[in-house]
Amino acid sequence: MGADPAERQPPRPVLGTPARKLTRTLRDLRRWARLTLHDLHGLDRTLPRSTVSAVERGERRLTWQFVSSFVTVCLRANGLPPAAVRQELSRWREALDTVRSDDAPPPHGTSTTPRDTADFTGREEEVRHLAQRVAASDAAPVVLAVDGMGGVGKTALVIRLAHILGERYPDGQLFIDLQAHATGRRPVKPAEALHRLLTMLDATPAERPRRPEAWAEVWRAELRHRRLLVVLDDAAGSDQVEPLLPGRSDSLVLITSRKRLAGLHASGATAYRLDVLPHDAAAALFVRVAGADRVDARSPEVDRVIRRCGMLPLAVRLSASRLALRPTWTVTDLAEELERAEHRLDALRAENLSVRAAFDQSYRVLSTDEARMFRQLGLHPTGEFGLGEAAALAGADASHVEAVLDRLVAHNLVHEVGRRRYRLHDLVHEYAHDCAEAEEPRTERGLVPLDFGSRRGTAAAEPQVGVPK
Ligand SMILES: Nc1ncnc2c1ncn2[C@@H]1O[C@H](COP(=O)(O)OP(=O)(O)OP(=O)(O)O)[C@@H](O)[C@H]1O
Ligand SMILES: [Mg+2]
């Protein structure tokens, strides 16, 4: 080893890396430790030369037992203290938990999981956390439900997770879109979903059962002896999903929904609320889509744009592709366009994707009183408020308003930022304001925001201070 301390750093695994790369890092670690296969076996009898060389050639699957022995020997041989060894081992554990299956031997089961997002950015924390929760769970099946607002990246994250964890579910990976928020389509009925899942497994019974419960029985029986990874994407609610859950099975079910599925959680599923991207990941996504030759992630203009997008991945992607497709525009042009608020939601669209359409789909499933409350919140000046202000806007008593707000929180249209304090995502706030302008009678509009002039452009600002009715 050289004298430079940087050289003493052992090679480290990368999270979410393909199996082949992880194996290469192991071999680099052995070389860094200057150990031959023979030395290795001399130091740890559980590491025979034939096994190590088969692993290094990618001919044997990595197990934690192997990796932990291998890494420990290499690090100890280089005099690393036990605490440092433990730290390195925990990195390796995480890497092994999130190892990607794409270049591993293909599972023999079918896979209907869509391809991974090519420019998937960030979410390392979420991937690590969720993979660990799956690994640590002793439930059978493990059920994990990811909820969050439209366009926040639930499907992208769950597909990534399915690719990472897929290798552990050799009987197949099934993906089904339950269409709770698909434009012009109805949510898939449980019986139809079961039929489609069984067809994917090539396991539909010769006689089509008439009752949906009978489909569920066939499905449960099929899963009892299989180890499958099932993705139920865009679920409308617990009622739609519950009949699709296996009984006793070593399978993993990953669910996405705009709604927090309280019923499912009560019956033992793990719930995870996904938030917008952190600033740096949103900037990185913007640059990847817009093109690194056009923009610099650290520029103040990129910062302006992604802030206008509220760090929502869907909005960041759409604004970046807007720039990519307009070679004569600068990022400043884009930022200015997005700051002219009356155009912002309309600018965030491309072909069949649009932020407004995504929010429309959330809005149309609200009950009458939820929709009315939502519109009234659009009239709040900042979109961050306490229960008292919401009650004043709605002109209703606080306990009723609190109950309605709870439901809007469950729909991920409102965030509860503290006890009885709430916030609307900036784009959702703007959308709610548009709904109020379109649907609320003028006389019923409560406080027309005084500071909208700066945020939404002067056209919308017509200041009137109203007393809620
Ligand atoms: N981490 C990410 N990296 C790159 N792109 C992302 C990421 N997360 C989301 N996206 C992109 O943002 C858009 C919205 O993501 P996605 O469809 O996963 O959201 P969603 O939460 O499932 O929305 P919905 O509630 O409408 O189903 C997609 O175009 C997706 O490719
Ligand atoms: Mg989705």
Side-chain angles (χ1 to χ4, degrees):
M1 252 193 316
D4 178 3
E7 265 184 50
R8 297 217 186 94
Q9 293 273 340
R12 285 175 176 150
V14 177
L15 210 72
T17 203
R20 198 191 309 136
K21 250 189 167 163
L22 204 60
T23 307
R24 236 180 282 142
T25 314
L26 276 177
R27 194 196 51 206
D28 294 344
L29 180 69
R30 180 171 66 76
R31 291 187 177 156
W32 168 88
R34 304 190 167 192
L35 295 175
T36 62
L37 297 182
H38 182 78
D39 298 335
L40 212 59
H41 187 220
L43 291 168
D44 184 335
R45 291 282 160 197
T46 68
L47 297 170
R49 287 165 64 169
S50 56
T51 308
V52 176
S53 75
V55 168
E56 288 188 352
R57 285 197 307 273
E59 289 166 7
R60 265 181 96 126
R61 284 206 179 158
L62 290 172
T63 62
W64 174 236
Q65 201 182 3
F66 176 87
V67 171
S68 57
S69 306
F70 187 104
V71 171
T72 306
V73 168
C74 293
L75 296 176
R76 282 209 190 130
N78 267 255
L80 248 73
V85 174
R86 275 199 300 277
Q87 214 173 2
E88 294 300 318
L89 279 173
S90 86
R91 278 174 202 271
W92 279 95
R93 177 82 240 198
E94 280 172 19
L96 195 66
D97 281 344
T98 58
V99 74
R100 300 198 38 197
S101 56
D102 51 4
D103 64 351
H108 51 77
T110 180
S111 172
T112 58
T113 308
R115 71 188 154 82
D116 213 352
T117 310
D119 42 19
F120 189 86
T121 309
R123 302 295 195 201
E124 293 86 358
E125 265 301 302
E126 287 87 348
V127 167
R128 189 168 54 86
H129 175 80
L130 294 175
Q132 269 177 0
R133 289 193 73 163
V134 170
S137 173
D138 50 13
V142 179
V143 180
L144 174 66
V146 177
D147 67 286
M149 65 186 286
V152 78
K154 302 176 291 294
T155 302
L157 175 69
V158 159
I159 289 177
R160 160 126 309 198
L161 210 53
H163 285 288
I164 289 174
L165 302 177
E167 196 184 18
R168 303 199 205 148
Y169 298 88
D171 296 323
Q173 295 140 43
L174 311 185
F175 180 99
I176 183 166
D177 180 359
L178 296 176
Q179 292 178 195
H181 297 92
T183 314
R185 282 179 294 168
R186 291 175 164 279
V188 177
K189 295 212 168 78
E192 168 62 19
L194 286 165
H195 180 242
R196 276 163 49 186
L197 288 164
L198 285 165
T199 309
M200 290 177 206
L201 274 187
D202 225 359
T204 48
E207 286 225 356
R208 190 186 169 116
R210 262 184 308 188
R211 293 176 305 117
E213 308 85 75
W215 281 109
E217 282 159 23
V218 179
W219 170 244
R220 293 209 182 101
E222 282 297 328
L223 261 67
R224 197 153 299 137
H225 303 294
R226 299 197 201 217
R227 207 173 148 79
L228 283 171
L229 190 158
V230 182
V231 177
L232 307 174
D233 189 39
D234 194 15
S238 301
D239 290 353
Q240 187 190 26
V241 162
E242 241 141 38
L244 315 182
L245 298 181
R248 172 116 206 126
S249 169
D250 287 331
S251 298
L252 167 66
V253 183
L254 301 174
I255 302 165
T256 77
S257 177
R258 288 202 190 163
K259 262 175 89 176
R260 174 141 276 208
L261 305 177
L264 218 57
H265 190 233
S267 58
T270 299
Y272 186 83
R273 180 164 277 157
L274 187 63
D275 207 346
V276 294
L277 285 169
H279 182 279
D280 288 357
L285 174 59
F286 184 84
V287 172
R288 286 176 90 168
V289 178
D293 52 331
R294 302 258 318 263
V295 284
D296 175 353
R298 287 154 306 180
S299 78
E301 284 71 31
V302 169
D303 177 64
R304 268 169 78 190
V305 171
I306 60 171
R307 280 183 196 282
R308 286 284 139 184
C309 294
M311 314 295 165
L312 184 73
L314 175 64
V316 172
R317 176 180 288 284
L318 288 171
S319 63
S321 65
R322 194 166 179 82
L323 183 66
L325 298 175
R326 286 168 179 74
T328 57
W329 281 36
T330 63
V331 198
T332 311
D333 294 330
L334 180 68
E336 279 170 6
E337 184 191 47
L338 295 177
E339 280 164 2
R340 283 203 311 274
E342 63 272 27
H343 291 139
R344 177 157 59 152
L345 283 176
D346 296 316
L348 295 170
R349 76 182 138 74
E351 278 190 87
N352 53 355
L353 271 184
S354 116
V355 171
R356 188 185 290 284
F359 294 169
D360 279 343
Q361 292 149 8
S362 285
Y363 181 59
R364 77 176 158 79
V365 300
L366 297 181
S367 66
T368 311
D369 56 348
E370 289 162 1
R372 179 145 200 273
M373 181 82 243
F374 180 66
R375 291 192 298 273
Q376 281 159 337
L377 296 177
L379 298 173
H380 187 272
T382 63
E384 182 161 349
F385 49 87
L387 178 60
E389 284 172 276
L393 270 174
D397 74 87
S399 61
H400 171 73
V401 169
E402 188 176 18
V404 180
L405 281 171
D406 263 359
R407 301 202 310 259
L408 289 173
V409 169
H411 278 283
N412 281 299
L413 283 169
V414 172
H415 297 285
E416 193 170 15
V417 290
R419 173 102 177 95
R420 294 181 172 162
R421 280 216 64 78
Y422 307 89
R423 184 191 300 141
L424 266 67
H425 183 276
D426 207 20
L427 293 175
V428 173
H429 185 212
E430 194 163 317
Y431 174 82
H433 188 274
D434 289 353
C435 292
E437 294 224 309
E439 293 175 51
E440 286 290 298
R442 262 196 114 64
T443 49
E444 298 234 338
R445 290 186 205 161
L447 290 165
V448 173
L450 283 172
D451 62 350
F452 260 32
S454 58
R455 207 177 71 80
R456 293 182 46 81
T458 44
E462 247 179 79
Q464 328 164 353
V465 179
V467 180
K469 289 184 83 181

